[in-house]
Amino acid sequence: MNRFASGVLILSVAALAASCSRKPDSAALKPTAFGAAMVESSGGKQFGQAATPLPQPVVVQVNDEQGAAVTGALVEFAAAPGVTFDPASALTDSSGQATTNVALGGMAGRYQIAASTLDKTHKKVELKMEEIALGYQQTLGRRLNEQYCDRCHNAESTAERVSNYDNLEVKPHPFTEGETLNKLSDADLTAIITYGGPALNKSALMPAWGNTLKKADVQALIAYIRAVSDPPSRSAGPVYAKN
Amino acid sequence: MKEKLRSLWQKLFGDSVRAFGVVSLVFLASMAIAPAKNFFSEWRHYQHGYLSTIRNRSEANTLRRHFQGGIQQIWLPDLGVVDRCTSCHVGLKEPTLTDVAQQPYRKHPVIPHNLDQFGCTVCHRGQGAATTVAEAHSSTLAWEQPILPAKYIESSCGQCHRGPLPGTPQLNLGRKLLSRSGCVHCHTVKLPDGSTMKATDDPPSLSHIADKTTREWIYAWLKDPQAYAVTSTMPNFKLSDADARDISAFLIANSALVPGDNVTLSAKASSDPTAGASLYGESFCASCHAVQNAAGNVVGGDVGPELTRIGSKVKPQWLQAWVRNPRVYDPPTAMPHYRFSDVQVVTLTGFLLAKTDSDLLANVHLDAATPEQIAHGKRLVSDYGCASCHEIPGIKKPENFAPELSRIGSKPITQLIFLQGMQHTLPDYIAGKIKQPRAFAPRLKMPQYTFTSAQIDALTTALLSLNDRSYSLPPSLAVAAPPESDYQPAGKAGKLMTDLACFSCHRINGHGSDMAPDLTWEGSSVQRDWLVQFFKNPGTLRPALIRRMPKFNLTDGEINELTDYIMTVYQSPAVDRDSMPLSGYSQGQTELGKQLFYGTYSCQGCHIVDTKTDKGYIGPTLTQVGSRLTAAWIYQWMKNPQALRPGTIEPNRAMSDEDARALTAFLTSQKGGGKQEAAKK
C-alpha cells in the first residue's frame, strides 16, 4: 500500500470536500461542435487567497481553423488536487466562450490550471494558465499594499481609487515587475521600505515607512511582492502545484 | 472429529514439558505483537520518509540534528491540547523546507503564532492525540471533529480575536454579513464576552408604508425583491400569489398616516432638463445610493437603498416630502436633512421619479382586499416573522424566532440532518443551509438569500468561529473587539448634527461611519474662519476623491452653532491650538521648510502646494493649508500623524523638532493664490 499517496490524499481532502458535493456530471454534456485552438479570454494570472474563489471567473474561447469562435465545444478544466472548478466542464456559448469559477487549493503558491477541448480528430487541444494563491502572510501583505503602496505603485485606476502613478516624476516599480524586483534581496527591499528610497540611492519620493509599519508588516509586504512577481521570484520557491 | 481433537491435544499438551513449550511459544508470540505494531506504525513510516527526503539537501546535517524520532507531542493543559501531529509533520518548524511539495514535510506557512504555544488542533481541528492519518484527519465514531477545510481556516482566528484582523478578510466579511444581512434579527448570536451581536442593517418600519408606496409595489416586491433592486438584502420568501396578495393587503390596511409626509409643492421644476441630474450629482446622493447603469453595473454607495427603479415604487407626494425633510417620515433615518429649496425638491424628485421600470408592475392586478384576506395576511406576517426585522404595529417582535447560533461551530454532526449526496461535515451543512435553506424541508421558514458563493464561504467561516472552544479558552487569550461607542453630541448643535446625519459619513469619538474623515479632533485641527467658509461652500480637499461633503444650505445661525461646538468640544489634549503662531516665522525657516518639502521628504509625491509643478493626488491639496489648519496641528502632525489620526496613511517620518518647525513655517505660509484673496474682497 502506498501510504504516502494516501497521506497526501487525505491532506488535500480539505479543499476537495467542497467540490465533490456539487461537481456536475460532465458526461451529461455532449459537444455539438469541435474547435481547433483555444485562447484565454480573461482570468489568467489572478491573485486569490488560498482555498477561496478567485475574484474573477476564468474565461477561455474555442476557435476553429479560421480563428472564428466555435459554439457548443466541450471544454474541461483540470488542475492539481485541491483546485476546484464550478463548473468543471462547460459547452462554449454563442461567442465561443466557456466560463468557470476557480477556487485554488489551501497551499499558497502558483497553480497551473489547464483547459482542454477535443478537435475534429478527437485530439486534445490544451491551454495552460497560471493563478497565484496567497497564504496568510501574503494576504496581509496584499491588504497593506492596498492601503499604503498601491496608489503609487499600480498605474491602473479603478472607480474607487485614482492612481497617482502618472503624477510622479520618478516612476515606481509595479510589484508584478519581476525583472527588477527579483534582483533585489529581501534585505534591500526591507531597507527601501523601512528607510525610504534614498537608503538605496533611489528617489526620495519613496518615503520611509519604518516608523509607520511594524517589522512583521514589512515582511508581509515583501512576501506579497515575491508572491505576485512576474516572472516568479526564485526565493518564493518552485511552483508548488503542477499537473 | 472428536478423535482428531483429542490427538491434537495429546500432541500439544501430552506431557508437562511439551505443554510448557507450547504455552511459552504462544506467550512469546503475543509479546511480539505490540513491538511489531509499533514498528510498522504510520508515523514511523513517515519519519523514515522524512529522513530520506532530507538526505540529499545541502542543509541535511542541520535538519538531521533537529530531527527527533519517536512520537512527538505538544501538550498544553490550558488549551486542552494534546497534539501528536508533529510525529508525522516533522518539518513544520524548519525554515528551509518551504519548497517541499511532499506533505507531511513542508514547513508551516508564516503565521503570527508559535506552534509550541497553540498546538495544531486549536486552528485546524482534527484529533490531536491520534497517531494514524485517518484517525487524526477524518471523523470517526468516537471523534467527529475532522480537519477543518482550508477555506474556513480563518474561523479559528475568530475564536480568540473578537474584532476584525488585517490578515483575515474572509472572517471579517462573514461577520460583517451576519450583521449587515440581518441574520441576527432572527438568530440570536451571543458572543463569549457576554455581548449579543447586533444587526447593522436598518430594515424600514412598515407602520406608515401606505403613505410611501402602493399595494401593487409591495406585492411585486414580496414576490421577488431583487427584481426591483439587485442589491436588495431582502430575502425571497417564495410566497404564493395568494399569500403575497394577502400580506400586501394587511400591510396597507395596517398602515397609519403620518401628518406632513405627503406634500404637493406649487414650485415648478427647473426648465433645464439636466438640472435634476446635476443636483443629484452635486448633492453627492451617489455616496450612499446606488443606481444600476445601462451596462448592468451597480454604481454608488450602499448606505441607502438602490434607486434604479425608484419611480415605480414611491408616491410622488411622499418623495417630495421625503427629500424636503426625511425626518418627518422616519426620524432616525441615516439620510441627511438637506434644506433644499422647493424648486430644488421638485427638480430632484422629478429626476428620481423618471427612474421607472414598466415591466415591474405590468402584471400585478389586485382587487380590493377583503377582511378575510387582511386577517390571513396578518397571520402570515406573524408566521414568517416579518416583525423580527421590520416594525409592524400590532405585531410584537418575536423572540427566539430562529435557532440560536451562539455555538453553531461545535454542533454535533449527529444532530444534523443532511441532504442526499452531501458530505457529512458541519461546514458543508452550514454552507448548504445558507445556500438553499428550503431544500432541507419545504415548510422551513428561512427565506432564500442571494449570497454569492464567496459570501457563503465567508458566512460559514464566521459561524464556525462561534464554537465551544471560544468559550473554554483561557480568558487571557481573548482579544476584544474595539469597543462600540454610542457617543451623541449634546445640546442644540447635537440636534443639528443628528438632523444633518453627520454620523452617516463621519466618525466622532468612536461613533459613526468611516466614509469621511474622523472629526474627533477637528477643533484642534482647523481654523474657525475656514470651517465657516467650508460649511457655506464645501470645496474639495482631495482631488482624486469621488465622495465629497455635500452642501446642506445651512443658515448663518446654524453654521455658527456648529462651528462654535466643533471648535470648543472637539479638541485634542495633545494639541494646544494657541501654542504656535500662524505667522512670524523667519524667512530662513520658511525656506528650509520648502527645501525639506521638495527634497528630503518629497511631499509633492502625494500633496500639491504649487499647482503649476506639483501633481500629487493622494493627500489633501495644500495650496491654502495656511488658512485651513492651525500651526500647532501641522507641527504635531509632522511629528506623529498616527497619534492624531490612527490609521492615516501619511507616513510617520520621526522628524526632528527643527524640521517639523520649518515645515510648519513653510506650510502656514501657503494661504492660497490670488484667486482666494480676490474672492474675499
Side-chain angles (χ1 to χ4, degrees):
Chain A
M1 183 184 111
N2 188 349
R3 281 206 186 120
F4 247 100
S6 72
V8 172
L9 205 76
I10 288 166
L11 277 172
S12 60
V13 103
L16 271 178
S19 69
C20 291
S21 55
R22 53 191 159 110
K23 203 173 248 176
D25 187 10
S26 65
L29 291 175
K30 279 261 156 51
T32 55
F34 298 94
M38 186 149 42
V39 289
E40 178 191 327
S41 295
S42 67
K45 284 257 159 63
Q46 294 188 64
F47 323 139
Q49 215 185 330
T52 63
L54 290 174
Q56 303 295 323
V58 167
V59 185
V60 295
Q61 182 168 337
V62 176
N63 293 334
D64 61 14
E65 289 87 347
Q66 282 76 43
V70 175
T71 305
L74 178 66
V75 178
E76 286 181 324
F77 298 96
V83 181
T84 61
F85 297 95
D86 181 22
S89 58
L91 293 178
T92 53
D93 61 11
S94 55
S95 49
Q97 293 183 331
T99 305
T100 187
N101 293 301
V102 186
L104 299 177
M107 291 278 184
R110 286 164 196 255
Y111 285 78
Q112 200 170 62
I113 62 173
S116 63
T117 189
L118 296 178
D119 68 5
K120 281 183 188 115
T121 59
H122 289 266
K123 245 174 57 195
K124 210 172 175 187
V125 181
E126 205 172 43
L127 173 74
K128 285 188 172 155
M129 278 171 281
E130 198 179 71
E131 311 286 0
I132 297 168
L134 306 176
Y136 169 81
Q137 207 185 13
Q138 293 100 323
T139 303
L140 179 61
R142 175 163 69 170
R143 205 201 78 107
L144 292 163
N145 163 53
E146 280 161 10
Q147 192 178 350
Y148 295 103
C149 322
D150 210 30
R151 284 205 271 180
C152 289
H153 281 273
N154 185 349
E156 304 280 320
S157 291
T158 67
E160 288 290 307
R161 174 184 57 74
V162 180
S163 172
N164 195 43
Y165 182 88
D166 290 338
N167 300 328
L168 297 169
E169 234 163 82
V170 182
K171 300 294 176 210
H173 294 290
F175 290 165
T176 46
E177 202 183 291
E179 275 108 5
T180 316
L181 295 175
N182 289 348
K183 285 183 202 143
L184 296 172
S185 67
D186 283 8
D188 283 349
L189 287 178
T190 308
I192 291 188
I193 298 172
T194 312
Y195 304 110
L200 260 75
N201 272 333
K202 289 173 183 283
S203 168
L205 284 167
M206 168 73 190
W209 293 99
N211 301 304
T212 315
L213 299 177
K214 292 194 278 287
K215 259 196 182 133
D217 292 342
V218 177
Q219 282 166 1
L221 267 171
I222 293 173
Y224 173 75
I225 293 169
R226 298 300 190 203
V228 301
S229 74
D230 180 23
S233 141
R234 262 218 354 256
S235 58
V239 172
Y240 165 69
K242 283 190 192 135
N243 280 343
Chain B
M1 187 67 198
K2 229 174 179 182
E3 283 301 304
K4 264 187 183 171
L5 273 176
R6 186 163 295 161
S7 80
L8 189 70
W9 180 259
Q10 277 295 326
K11 260 185 205 162
L12 291 176
F13 303 103
D15 57 75
S16 54
V17 176
R18 210 176 268 204
F20 179 74
V22 171
V23 170
S24 301
L25 270 175
V26 170
F27 188 60
L28 212 69
S30 65
M31 289 280 281
I33 292 176
K37 250 177 98 176
N38 185 18
F39 184 76
F40 292 110
S41 60
E42 281 186 337
W43 59 265
R44 200 178 287 276
H45 172 88
Y46 284 117
Q47 291 185 353
H48 282 305
Y50 175 73
L51 291 173
S52 59
T53 307
I54 60 171
R55 189 177 301 143
N56 296 323
R57 296 181 69 93
S58 56
E59 78 281 24
N61 280 333
T62 319
L63 293 174
R64 218 171 289 134
R65 206 164 54 241
H66 293 173
F67 172 77
Q68 284 177 307
I71 289 203
Q72 302 297 311
Q73 178 171 290
I74 301 171
W75 180 44
L76 305 166
D78 281 359
L79 300 177
V81 161
V82 183
D83 286 351
R84 297 178 176 157
C85 317
T86 43
S87 305
C88 298
H89 293 270
V90 199
L92 281 184
K93 284 193 274 185
E94 292 298 343
T96 58
L97 295 183
T98 46
D99 58 347
V100 177
Q102 182 74 57
Q103 283 291 40
Y105 307 135
R106 210 182 201 211
K107 181 197 172 285
H108 194 282
V110 178
I111 50 163
H113 292 305
N114 189 337
L115 217 63
D116 297 324
Q117 257 176 342
F118 288 91
C120 310
T121 49
V122 169
C123 300
H124 289 278
R125 302 196 177 190
Q127 188 178 356
T131 52
T132 66
V133 172
E135 280 181 2
H137 296 136
S138 321
S139 49
T140 62
L141 281 177
W143 189 276
E144 55 169 44
Q145 193 77 270
I147 285 281
L148 188 66
K151 64 174 169 175
Y152 304 123
I153 196 72
E154 287 174 17
S155 68
S156 304
C157 312
Q159 296 174 124
C160 300
H161 296 270
R162 321 269 200 242
L165 285 170
T168 60
Q170 184 90 325
L171 174 69
N172 305 347
L173 173 66
R175 281 176 168 166
K176 197 179 140 200
L177 284 170
L178 278 179
S179 305
R180 172 92 191 147
S181 317
C183 308
V184 294
H185 283 299
C186 293
H187 297 278
T188 307
V189 176
K190 290 200 193 99
L191 300 171
D193 61 7
S195 64
T196 306
M197 209 179 226
K198 285 193 199 81
T200 50
D201 60 342
D202 186 18
S205 157
L206 305 182
S207 312
H208 321 292
I209 181 105
D211 292 5
K212 178 182 187 172
T213 185
T214 60
R215 192 181 153 204
E216 282 71 19
W217 179 84
I218 298 176
Y219 175 90
W221 168 257
L222 285 170
K223 289 289 286 181
D224 185 358
Q226 281 69 35
Y228 169 73
V230 284
T231 58
S232 162
T233 52
M234 167 98 172
N236 191 332
F237 284 82
K238 311 250 169 169
L239 297 169
S240 69
D241 292 357
D243 286 357
R245 177 197 67 199
D246 295 354
I247 292 177
S248 64
F250 165 70
L251 289 176
I252 292 290
N254 199 41
S255 167
L257 203 87
V258 182
D261 73 347
N262 273 261
V263 290
T264 312
L265 298 175
S266 53
K268 283 265 182 300
S270 164
S271 55
D272 178 0
T274 63
S278 307
L279 190 55
Y280 186 85
E282 283 162 21
S283 309
F284 295 100
C285 304
S287 294
C288 295
H289 295 281
V291 170
Q292 201 176 10
N293 61 20
N297 297 323
V298 178
V299 181
D302 65 352
V303 179
E306 182 190 326
L307 301 178
T308 313
R309 300 174 182 84
I310 183 72
S312 299
K313 173 185 177 181
V314 295
K315 295 181 172 171
Q317 292 81 10
W318 177 86
L319 187 62
Q320 289 191 347
W322 174 265
V323 170
R324 199 159 73 153
N325 182 4
R327 271 166 230 292
V328 174
Y329 178 79
D330 181 14
T333 180
M335 167 114 165
H337 174 194
Y338 268 85
R339 294 151 167 80
F340 287 124
S341 72
D342 281 2
V343 176
Q344 284 179 314
V345 169
V346 176
T347 307
L348 189 56
T349 50
F351 169 73
L352 290 171
L353 289 168
K355 294 181 178 299
T356 56
D357 181 349
S358 52
D359 293 344
L360 192 71
L361 305 177
N363 296 317
V364 183
H365 305 288
L366 298 170
D367 297 325
T370 64
E372 292 78 33
Q373 286 174 357
I374 292 173
H376 183 235
K378 183 171 184 177
R379 213 160 46 244
L380 288 169
V381 165
S382 306
D383 283 355
Y384 282 111
C386 306
S388 296
C389 299
H390 298 279
E391 190 186 313
I392 304 172
I395 299 197
K396 244 179 74 186
K397 179 176 162 62
E399 274 173 48
N400 300 326
F401 186 71
E404 186 178 328
L405 300 179
S406 308
R407 293 191 185 214
I408 180 76
S410 292
K411 190 144 176 133
I413 294 174
T414 42
Q415 289 179 16
L416 303 176
I417 297 165
F418 290 94
L419 289 181
Q420 252 192 345
M422 217 174 154
Q423 290 271 324
H424 283 213
T425 67
L426 182 63
D428 274 25
Y429 173 81
I430 295 176
K433 194 83 184 183
I434 300 171
K435 193 175 182 194
Q436 277 189 314
R438 301 262 176 105
F440 287 75
R443 296 203 157 247
L444 290 182
K445 283 175 187 164
M446 174 147 166
Q448 179 68 48
Y449 285 82
T450 46
F451 295 121
T452 62
S453 63
Q455 287 175 322
I456 292 176
D457 286 351
L459 275 166
T460 309
T461 303
L463 288 171
L464 286 169
S465 76
L466 306 166
N467 58 30
D468 289 346
R469 203 190 274 279
S470 65
Y471 282 86
S472 65
L473 282 163
S476 60
L477 285 180
V479 184
E484 269 177 60
S485 152
D486 51 2
Y487 166 76
Q488 278 300 334
K492 242 170 139 180
K495 271 198 193 124
L496 203 52
M497 285 166 80
T498 308
D499 197 37
L500 295 170
C502 302
F503 292 95
S504 293
C505 301
H506 293 281
R507 189 188 293 268
I508 302 175
N509 290 329
H511 175 62
S513 157
D514 55 4
M515 190 197 292
D518 189 312
L519 300 181
T520 308
W521 311 133
E522 189 71 0
S524 303
S525 162
V526 298
Q527 300 172 24
R528 193 180 195 286
D529 291 348
W530 176 85
L531 191 55
V532 170
Q533 285 304 317
F534 186 74
F535 274 126
K536 280 191 183 149
N537 197 4
T540 172
L541 295 173
R542 290 174 175 79
L545 217 63
I546 302 156
R547 293 178 180 146
R548 285 174 200 166
M549 170 97 166
K551 190 175 166 183
F552 290 117
N553 307 313
L554 297 169
T555 65
D556 286 351
E558 287 172 330
I559 289 177
N560 274 330
E561 190 74 52
L562 278 174
T563 313
D564 283 344
Y565 191 84
I566 290 170
M567 296 307 289
T568 323
V569 179
Y570 297 144
Q571 290 266 11
S572 162
V575 183
D576 179 3
R577 199 165 60 197
D578 304 318
S579 65
M580 284 178 81
L582 272 168
S583 54
Y585 297 95
S586 74
Q587 185 67 34
Q589 238 173 349
T590 312
E591 197 51 44
L592 174 64
K594 188 172 181 179
Q595 280 167 17
L596 292 170
F597 187 92
Y598 286 106
T600 312
Y601 299 112
S602 287
C603 313
Q604 77 277 18
C606 296
H607 296 281
I608 296 170
V609 162
D610 183 345
T611 46
K612 290 193 200 85
T613 55
D614 309 344
K615 293 178 191 159
Y617 252 13
I618 293 180
T621 300
L622 302 177
T623 46
Q624 300 169 30
V625 67
S627 328
R628 179 164 68 89
L629 297 178
T630 62
W633 178 269
I634 297 177
Y635 178 80
Q636 295 296 343
W637 184 266
M638 293 297 134
K639 298 284 288 178
N640 186 352
Q642 280 76 25
L644 297 179
R645 200 164 281 159
T648 180
I649 63 169
E650 168 101 44
N652 177 345
R653 316 296 283 262
M655 247 177 234
S656 67
D657 293 357
E658 195 195 353
D659 282 7
R661 202 173 287 277
L663 274 164
T664 308
F666 172 61
L667 289 174
T668 45
S669 72
Q670 304 301 317
K671 307 247 187 223
K675 230 201 275 173
Q676 171 87 11
E677 296 298 312
K680 264 189 189 163
K681 281 168 195 165

